[in-house]
Amino acid sequence: MSTKRLSRRDFLKAVGVTAGSGAFVAALSACGGQQVAQAPQPTEAQKAEAKPTEAPKEAAGRAYFDFDKMVNKDEWGRLPTDHKKGTLISQADWYKLLGDPPTEPIVMVGFNGGWGTKWVDIMLEQLKKEHPGLEVKTDFDPRIWEKMKPSLVAGEVPDWMYATLGGWGGQWMQGVTDGLVAPGDFLLDLEAYGFSGQRVEEIMFPGSLKAANGGLTDHQWTFPMSQYMLGIYYNTDLFEANNWPSPDTITWEEFMDLQKQIAEKIKPWTYAGKYPGYMDNVMSPLMYKKAGQQAYCDLDNLVAGAFNNPDLAWGIEQVQTIFKNDWIYQGSEAMTHTESQQIFVDGKCAMIPNGSWLENEQRETTPQGFRMSYSGVPAPKDGKGFKNAIYASIGSADLQIGNGKHPLWGMEIMRIFYSPAVAKLWAGDIGTPIPIKDAMQGAKASDALQSALDRLVKADGHYGAISHYGQWYPTISKPWSDNMGDILWGKIAPNDILAQLERAADEVRKDATIEKHELTECTDVLSQ
Amino acid sequence: MLRREKWKIIIPFIVPGLILFTVFTMYPSLRGIYVSLFKWSGMSQNMTYIGLDNFAKLFRELTDPMDFYNLRTYLSHNLFMFAWSLLTMFLGLIIAAIINNKPFAHNVFRVTFFFPNVLALPAIAVLWSMTLNPSFGLVNTALNSLGLQNLALPWMSLQYDFPLFKLGLYTVGFIGFWAGVGWYMILFLAAIQNVPIELIEAAIIDGASRARAFWTVTVPLIWETVRTVLVFAVIGVLGSFALPFVLFERQPQKHSDMILNYYYWQAFVNNNWGYSAAIVVGIFIVTLAASIISYRFFGRETVQY
C-alpha cells in the first residue's frame, strides 16, 4: 500500500466520513420539481483543485496489481496488458473479456441494515438480464462481518463485498493488507452501465473515489456507496417564530449567546447519550474551524505534539460549556439515537447533532407538519479553518471487489451497482444518493435536504474535520471514543484527553509493527 | 469380564459427548492459547509468531500506572458484578429456603423466579432497556404518574454519578441479579431438598430456631453446592459481556465495559486477534486460580448424612 490522505473519522457506524465538493450539489440538484437545489457550477476551490486522477500510474492488466497475489490468476490474466489508463473499454469488449458466466455461482455478500436489500434485487435483475445463465449466491446479514470471518480465514473470499471486512466494513484496509481485496482500477475505464459511452470514473461524483479509498493511492481498493452530511439540525418553525438565525449564519461566539436565549424557552439540545459520538458532529467541525486544516493533517501524519494544540482544546471546552450550562434535554444521556431523534421531532428541544439520514430515519414517527433544517457548525471569530466548510461524507468506503474465485465478475457487480436503476431506488425509496453525478434521478429534495444542499453550495468544495488516524490507527481514537461521554460532561479536562491522544499517537509512532501512512498533500478540498 | 461388559455399554454414551466437547470446547481453547503467541488480524491465514509479546503487552497494560488502557477500570466493573453475584447468591439461598418450606403459592413463585432463565441474555437486555427508557419506559412513566419525578432517574446513564460507579452500571448489576437469582434458587433448592428432614427436626427439637437450624445444619450440608455456585459466579462474572454490550448499544463504554468487552474491541475493531486471545488466556488463568482458591479456602470437610 502506498500513502496519502483521506477521511478523519469513520463516524459512528464505522462509515468513513469523507470530504467532497460542490459536485455533490450537482448530483442532488439534478432533481426536478419545485424544491430543487440551485443549478450547480464548479466551485472556485474545485476549479483550482481539478486535475486528472493520478492512480493508477501504470497500464492496466498485470500492472494493475501484484499478479502473484491474485487467487484466480487465469481470470485476472484476461485483462489486457496493453490497456492505456483513461481509455474507454466498451461494454461489448468488456463482455468479451468476461466470457461466459462461470459454472459455479458468483458470490455477493453484504450488510443488511436500515437500507434494506431492495437495491440488491435490482442489481440481480440487471445482472441476470445482461448475463443469462449467471448464477449469483447472495448473503446479506446484519452481522455479515462476523459471519464471514471463518470463510475469509479459510481463503473463501466473496467476489463482491459490502461492509464485510470488519465491523460495518470498517477494517477494509486490513483486508487490503491481507490480500482479500482485488484492485478496481480497471473498472474505472469500463463503460458505465446505463451511461452509454461514459467510463465508470466519469460518472462518479467528483472526489468520491478518492474519499472512499482511505488515503491509499496505489490502487482503487474500495468504492463508495452513499453520501451524507453531518452537523446541526434545528426546529425550523421554532427558529422562525422566535426570529432566531440559522446557527451557521452567525459566529460560534454569537451562537453561544443564541443558545442562552433558546434556553429561556426550551432546552436547546438533545443528543444520543448512548452514542455520545453524535455530539462529535459539532465538536470536530468546531475544532477544525478553530485550528485549521494543517492541524488536522498533523494529526494524521503523527506529528509529535500535534494533539497538544490549544485550538483543539478550545473546541472541546466550548462543547463542554453547552453541557455545563444545562442546555441538554433531561435524560438524553441515557437515550439511543432514535430516542433522541424522537425528542427532537416531537419539538421538545431546539437542536440535535445529526446527519442527513435523520429525516428519513424518523419519517414514520415525525408529527405531521414538523419542519427541520440543516446547519453547519458556526465558525469562531478567529478560526483558521474555512468558515463555511461542511462536515460530510461524499463517499463512504463500503464496497470492495473480492480477491476470490471471480474478481472480474466482482467488478461487473460493482459496475451494475452504479446504474441508473439502482441510483433511482436509493434516491427515491432510501432517500440517500449514491455517489454518481446524476444520483437523484429526478427525485425531489425535501426542505431539510434542500437546506443541506444550500450549505454545500456555500462550502465551495471545502470539507472540514476530515481525518484518517481513527481508521489508520484505531488505538489512537479509542481514548477519544471511550471517553466521549466524560469529555462532553466535562469530567475530563480538554488538555487531559488531548494528552491521552498524544500518548496513544506516540505509542503508534514508536511501534514498528504498525504500518504507517502519510498525507502527501494537506487540503480540505477533494477532487476526483 | 464384568468390567469390560460395563464399558461396552458406557463408551457409546460417552463418545458422542466427548467428540463434541473436544471439537467445540477443547480444540478452540487450545487453539486460543496457540493464537495468543501470534500477531494475527483474524482476516486471513497470515500469522506472525511473536512468542510471549502479547502477554508482555497485557502485563504492561495491566500495570500501567495511569490505567491508560482502562484495563483495571474494566476489571473493577467485573469485581462490582461479582459483588452483585454474591448478593444474588445470598438472596437465591434465602428464597430457596423459603420456598422449601412450601408457603402459599410456592410453585408459582418458583416458576416466576426461574422464568428469566428461559430468556436469552440479549433479550433480557432489550426488555429492560425499554422498561427503563427515560422518556417512555414503564418505570419512569410510573414514577412520574405517582408524582415521584425525583426518583425517575436516567437508569441507563453512564454519566449519572452514584457511589463508586455510574448509575448505568448499577442497572447492569440489578438486571444481572434479576436474571440470575432464579438460577441460584433452583440450585440451592435442589440441594436443600436433599438434606434429610430428620436432621432439621432434631435441631429444632433440641431448641434451635428455624433460622438457626438453617444456618447451622442446612447450610453446612449444602456447602458443596455453595462452593460450586461460587465458582459459577466467578466464571460468569469474568465472562460478562452480552448484558452491557447490548444495553449500551455495542459501543465502547468506559463506565460499563468489562474485560471481555475489551477483548471484543481488540479482536473485532483493532484486528488484533493474537492479543485478544492473550486476554482470554489471562481470563482463563484467573478463573482457574479463582476456582482453585475457592475449593482450597472455602472447602470444608464434606458432611455425610
Side-chain angles (χ1 to χ4, degrees):
Chain A
M1 281 193 288
S2 73
T3 60
K4 213 179 163 197
R5 90 149 310 186
L6 202 267
S7 75
R8 158 189 144 72
R9 39 160 316 188
D10 43 355
F11 189 44
L12 299 159
K13 295 168 185 169
V15 182
V17 170
T18 52
S21 69
F24 187 23
V25 182
L28 299 177
S29 64
C31 56
Q34 295 170 345
Q35 299 176 38
V36 180
Q38 295 173 27
Q41 297 296 324
T43 64
E44 290 309 310
Q46 273 184 289
K47 285 176 192 166
E49 290 289 322
K51 56 187 175 189
T53 309
E54 290 169 10
K57 292 179 178 121
E58 299 174 75
R62 285 163 197 265
Y64 266 134
F65 194 50
D66 182 351
F67 194 68
D68 291 338
K69 280 192 181 173
M70 292 309 296
V71 170
N72 187 341
K73 292 182 174 60
D74 288 342
E75 187 174 294
W76 195 252
R78 288 184 217 153
L79 296 180
T81 52
D82 58 348
H83 174 70
K84 276 194 110 177
K85 160 74 189 152
T87 312
L88 175 73
I89 306 277
S90 70
Q91 183 168 283
D93 288 343
W94 168 235
Y95 284 179
K96 281 180 202 161
L97 287 172
L98 265 181
D100 292 333
T103 50
E104 61 193 349
I106 59 171
V107 183
M108 57 188 290
V109 302
F111 172 58
N112 186 355
W115 287 331
T117 54
K118 231 171 159 183
W119 53 278
V120 179
D121 297 336
I122 290 178
M123 288 175 73
L124 290 174
E125 260 175 46
Q126 294 183 130
L127 273 168
K128 285 176 181 172
K129 186 180 132 204
E130 291 299 317
H131 307 285
L134 178 71
E135 282 187 58
V136 186
K137 189 178 159 192
T138 61
D139 190 354
F140 284 76
D141 189 281
R143 307 291 286 186
I144 191 68
W145 49 92
E146 288 168 359
K147 196 173 175 182
M148 289 307 297
K149 253 184 195 297
S151 301
L152 295 176
V153 172
E156 291 170 20
V157 182
D159 302 308
W160 185 88
M161 297 178 279
Y162 156 42
T164 300
L165 300 172
W168 288 278
Q171 287 86 55
W172 63 270
M173 273 193 194
Q174 185 64 48
V176 172
T177 303
D178 285 347
L180 307 179
V181 183
D185 309 307
F186 194 77
L187 167 67
L188 302 180
D189 287 342
L190 298 178
E191 185 176 5
Y193 187 73
F195 295 89
S196 182
Q198 294 184 72
R199 295 182 303 118
V200 168
E201 187 176 24
E202 288 170 339
I203 66 149
M204 296 300 291
F205 185 84
S208 61
L209 287 168
K210 187 177 176 180
N213 215 30
L216 308 183
T217 54
D218 53 347
H219 295 289
Q220 188 65 44
W221 292 104
T222 194
F223 286 82
M225 185 180 210
S226 59
Q227 303 181 310
Y228 48 78
M229 286 152 280
L230 307 164
I232 301 167
Y233 274 83
Y234 62 89
N235 182 330
T236 315
D237 287 333
L238 182 69
F239 270 61
E240 284 177 1
N242 290 282
N243 287 321
W244 294 331
S246 172
D248 55 2
T249 58
I250 54 181
T251 65
W252 176 265
E253 289 78 3
E254 290 164 341
F255 180 54
M256 291 299 272
D257 291 338
L258 175 64
Q259 288 176 70
K260 201 173 173 185
Q261 281 180 50
I262 295 172
E264 287 167 11
K265 288 181 179 290
I266 190 171
K267 286 288 180 190
W269 297 91
T270 184
Y271 82 110
K274 284 190 179 176
Y275 296 98
Y278 270 82
M279 205 69 197
D280 206 16
N281 292 354
V282 175
M283 190 150 59
S284 279
L286 180 62
M287 289 159 74
Y288 152 81
K289 287 184 180 181
K290 179 74 174 176
Q293 181 60 27
Q294 187 59 50
Y296 265 69
C297 295
D298 289 348
L299 302 181
D300 286 341
N301 285 338
L302 299 177
V303 172
F307 284 97
N308 295 329
N309 183 332
D311 288 340
L312 301 179
W314 181 88
I316 297 171
E317 196 185 345
Q318 290 298 306
V319 174
Q320 286 181 338
T321 308
I322 293 173
F323 286 76
K324 207 179 290 172
N325 290 345
D326 194 24
W327 290 342
I328 304 291
Y329 184 83
Q330 191 183 4
S332 296
E333 71 267 32
M335 290 181 193
T336 64
H337 60 301
T338 47
E339 288 161 7
S340 63
Q341 288 164 192
Q342 193 58 44
I343 294 294
F344 172 67
V345 299
D346 283 344
K348 294 177 180 171
C349 67
M351 295 176 286
I352 186 169
N354 222 283
S356 52
W357 57 81
L358 169 63
E359 190 184 22
N360 190 51
E361 196 162 37
Q362 294 303 117
R363 196 181 298 281
E364 300 295 318
T365 56
T366 300
Q368 206 169 8
F370 179 82
R371 293 162 63 219
M372 64 176 92
S373 297
Y374 171 87
S375 164
V377 173
K381 273 190 295 194
D382 57 349
K384 298 179 188 120
F386 187 76
K387 187 181 158 220
N388 292 323
I390 199 164
Y391 191 33
S393 165
I394 60 163
S396 55
D398 290 326
L399 312 176
Q400 291 91 32
I401 299 163
N403 180 12
K405 289 179 183 165
H406 301 293
L408 297 195
W409 286 96
M411 235 180 243
E412 175 65 352
I413 296 172
M414 194 75 82
R415 194 177 73 99
I416 296 287
F417 176 78
Y418 297 117
S419 64
V422 173
K424 190 173 182 182
L425 181 95
W426 275 78
D429 285 23
I430 301 173
T432 301
I434 66 169
I436 63 173
K437 285 175 185 167
D438 193 17
M440 290 304 282
Q441 295 288 316
K444 285 183 182 178
S446 66
D447 284 351
L449 184 53
Q450 185 63 47
S451 65
L453 298 177
D454 294 344
R455 267 56 178 202
L456 277 163
V457 174
K458 280 174 73 179
D460 195 27
H462 291 265
Y463 292 81
I466 307 298
S467 70
H468 312 282
Y469 68 84
Q471 190 167 49
W472 288 347
Y473 319 112
T475 52
I476 300 182
S477 58
K478 186 163 171 56
W480 182 252
S481 52
D482 277 5
N483 289 292
M484 184 53 71
D486 286 1
I487 295 169
L488 299 177
W489 287 91
K491 290 174 181 169
I492 183 166
N495 286 330
D496 289 346
I497 184 62
L498 290 171
Q500 286 196 33
L501 293 171
E502 183 64 33
R503 175 180 159 170
D506 194 44
E507 291 196 5
V508 171
R509 267 194 296 272
K510 288 175 184 163
D511 191 339
T513 67
I514 299 174
E515 185 180 8
K516 306 296 189 301
H517 305 268
E518 189 189 357
L519 301 178
T520 54
E521 63 174 328
C522 183
T523 177
D524 57 11
V525 179
L526 287 187
S527 57
Q528 190 77 317
Chain B
M1 187 62 192
L2 184 62
R3 184 170 290 177
R4 187 177 295 171
E5 288 301 315
K6 193 170 76 179
W7 279 109
K8 277 185 184 171
I9 298 169
I10 290 173
I11 285 173
F13 284 100
I14 290 177
V15 168
L18 196 64
I19 290 172
L20 289 174
F21 180 75
T22 306
V23 171
F24 293 109
T25 304
M26 281 308 290
Y27 173 71
S29 303
L30 294 173
R31 175 80 183 171
I33 295 170
Y34 174 76
V35 166
S36 70
L37 305 175
F38 289 83
K39 183 173 175 62
W40 183 41
S41 70
M43 281 195 187
S44 70
Q45 293 181 355
N46 305 330
M47 296 169 80
T48 310
Y49 178 75
I50 55 170
L52 295 174
D53 283 8
N54 284 324
F55 292 97
K57 180 177 160 70
L58 180 60
F59 182 75
R60 200 168 59 244
E61 293 193 357
L62 263 173
T63 54
D64 182 89
M66 305 282 290
D67 193 22
F68 178 71
Y69 307 92
N70 297 324
L71 273 189
R72 292 200 297 278
T73 302
Y74 301 148
L75 285 170
S76 73
H77 299 159
N78 286 97
L79 201 61
F80 183 58
M81 287 302 116
F82 183 65
W84 273 97
S85 280
L86 293 179
L87 177 69
T88 311
M89 278 172 61
F90 178 73
L91 290 176
L93 182 64
I94 301 298
I95 294 167
I98 294 170
I99 287 181
N100 188 52
N101 285 332
K102 298 188 171 50
F104 173 71
H106 64 278
N107 281 331
V108 175
F109 284 118
R110 188 167 59 178
V111 171
T112 306
F113 279 116
F114 189 73
F115 177 72
N117 288 279
V118 303
L119 298 173
L121 213 48
I124 289 172
V126 171
L127 181 79
W128 275 102
S129 64
M130 297 183 83
T131 308
L132 297 173
N133 185 284
S135 47
F136 61 78
L138 184 68
V139 172
N140 280 7
T141 305
L143 289 168
N144 285 328
S145 62
L146 293 170
L148 299 170
Q149 285 86 351
N150 289 343
L151 293 179
L153 302 176
W155 304 105
M156 307 288 289
S157 171
L158 292 173
Q159 289 302 322
Y160 195 96
D161 289 320
F162 244 54
L164 296 175
F165 299 99
K166 305 294 179 185
L167 177 58
L169 197 64
Y170 279 84
T171 302
V172 175
F174 170 75
I175 296 171
F177 164 77
W178 179 85
V181 72
W183 170 244
Y184 291 141
M185 177 206 72
I186 286 290
L187 291 176
F188 287 130
L189 188 60
I192 290 171
Q193 284 174 346
N194 278 332
V195 174
I197 190 72
E198 300 82 22
L199 298 179
I200 312 290
E201 285 171 349
I204 290 171
I205 288 167
D206 286 345
S209 66
R210 278 196 169 274
R212 173 93 181 176
F214 177 73
W215 291 113
T216 55
V217 178
T218 307
V219 171
L221 288 172
I222 63 165
W223 193 250
E224 282 289 329
T225 304
V226 172
R227 205 165 54 175
T228 306
V229 165
L230 196 64
V231 173
F232 278 173
V234 171
I235 294 170
V237 161
L238 282 170
S240 294
F241 172 74
L243 202 51
F245 189 65
V246 177
L247 277 174
F248 299 109
E249 303 287 323
R250 298 175 293 191
Q251 299 291 301
Q253 304 280 5
K254 183 181 168 185
H255 296 299
S256 67
D257 277 356
M258 309 210 188
I259 192 68
L260 270 192
N261 296 89
Y262 186 57
Y263 149 83
Y264 178 86
W265 184 85
Q266 284 288 356
F268 287 93
V269 178
N270 202 29
N271 298 310
N272 202 344
W273 279 78
Y275 183 53
S276 63
I279 293 171
V280 176
V281 171
I283 292 172
F284 168 72
I285 291 168
V286 173
T287 310
L288 188 67
S291 304
I292 292 169
I293 288 168
S294 95
Y295 269 84
R296 278 191 73 101
F297 293 97
F298 294 92
R300 295 182 183 180
E301 205 170 307
T302 304
V303 179
Q304 299 288 333
Y305 46 82

